[in-house]
Amino acid sequence: MVGRRHLGTAAATGSGGRRRCRWDRLGHLGGLHRRARSPARGRLPQESAATRRSPKGGSSSGTSERSGVGGPARPPGGGGPAGEGLGRSRGGFTTKVHLSADGRCRPLSLVVTPGQRSDTTQFESVLDKIRVPRMALGRPRKRPDSLAADKAYSNRPCRQYLRRRGIQHVIPEKSDSRTARLNRGSAGGRPPRFDTERYKKRNVVERAINKLKQSRAVATRYDKRGYVYLGTLTAAALIIWLRT
């Protein structure tokens, strides 16, 4: 029992040598902690990811060497939270939808960004995406007759963009901007033109957003990819156009 299971002291072998017990074969487990050794990953030579090769002989780097015939098409956006239109805001991990609408609460253009992205950063992108086809022959209309926006767009870049394209706009002036203009005196320039009656029609944008939220997939985003969610928004906008 002692000689077979190595439960006792080492027994002499037939050749006269000393038979090592299990404790000896493991090299005295306590000694492994007393002697410092390099980690397992440090024993191999360091190699960069660019020069690392897969077992089949191909490169294991991030860029694929396959031809574009059989490889899957990568969607635009680059992936990741920013590319998929996901970001942190006061409401949590959300997506912000920037849009423009006509006088009948029908969406004209849609832009999807992360939730923390400011509205003014997508002002030009939203207006550049407007395409209204004509009933007769001709190119689609890209410039609206007039524009109504809230105080978030009351800054110099937005007003200069509208003035450069010749778009009449109704945007209220911020209180701090008015104070700064008055403090500069004659150098501050004239106050921007503002029509109260035309600004009352700005609620069509909020009503268009409420119509889009009637779709559950738009109100609570279930789509993982940003381009899929943009397609869901486009489908909801098409339903609004068909109903009106």
Side-chain angles (χ1 to χ4, degrees):
M1 187 71 175
V2 173
R4 293 175 55 189
R5 299 299 179 184
H6 313 290
L7 298 179
T9 58
T13 59
S15 58
R18 181 176 179 272
R19 182 179 181 129
R20 299 179 62 186
C21 64
R22 179 177 181 143
W23 192 265
D24 293 334
R25 291 203 311 269
L26 293 178
H28 293 287
L29 293 177
L32 295 179
H33 299 279
R34 290 194 299 266
R35 290 181 296 176
R37 294 180 179 271
S38 59
R41 295 184 61 183
R43 298 175 184 175
L44 298 178
Q46 298 293 334
E47 55 181 359
S48 60
T51 59
R52 191 177 302 158
R53 297 291 177 177
S54 62
K56 296 183 179 181
S59 175
S60 61
S61 59
T63 58
S64 176
E65 296 180 356
R66 298 181 300 173
S67 61
V69 178
R74 184 178 181 86
E84 303 297 349
L86 297 172
R88 295 288 180 181
S89 64
R90 292 185 178 180
F93 203 52
T94 58
T95 299
K96 182 177 289 186
V97 180
H98 309 261
L99 61 91
S100 62
D102 61 356
R104 301 179 62 180
C105 306
R106 296 176 297 189
L108 297 176
S109 58
L110 297 167
V111 175
V112 176
T113 61
Q116 78 278 5
R117 191 65 59 85
S118 175
D119 296 337
T120 57
T121 59
Q122 306 300 319
F123 181 74
E124 298 183 10
S125 301
V126 171
L127 293 182
D128 290 341
K129 288 181 176 295
I130 295 179
R131 298 289 188 277
V132 180
R134 301 178 184 270
M135 301 299 296
L137 298 177
R139 294 179 297 178
R141 293 187 57 185
K142 302 179 182 180
R143 187 179 62 179
D145 296 333
S146 61
L147 175 71
D150 56 3
K151 290 184 178 181
Y153 304 96
S154 179
N155 52 43
R156 182 175 299 178
C158 294
R159 295 183 184 275
Q160 289 179 352
Y161 173 79
L162 295 174
R163 192 178 302 110
R164 184 171 62 254
R165 294 192 57 184
I167 301 176
Q168 299 182 4
H169 56 278
V170 180
I171 303 177
E173 188 180 13
K174 295 181 181 180
S175 57
D176 55 348
S177 300
R178 184 186 307 108
T179 303
R181 179 176 51 81
L182 294 177
N183 292 336
R184 296 180 60 184
S186 59
R190 295 177 298 178
R193 184 179 179 182
F194 182 75
D195 190 347
T196 307
E197 295 299 326
R198 291 177 57 187
Y199 187 72
K200 292 180 180 179
K201 301 179 180 180
R202 196 197 63 85
N203 60 80
V204 296
V205 181
E206 309 297 338
R207 291 157 57 189
I209 296 176
N210 291 334
K211 287 187 176 182
L212 287 174
K213 287 184 177 180
Q214 297 299 319
S215 177
R216 182 182 300 178
V218 174
T220 56
R221 174 178 173 177
Y222 297 130
D223 302 318
K224 179 180 179 180
R225 301 299 182 185
Y227 70 96
V228 178
Y229 183 61
L230 182 59
T232 303
L233 286 168
T234 305
L238 289 175
I239 294 176
I240 297 175
W241 274 86
L242 293 175
R243 288 179 177 177
T244 55

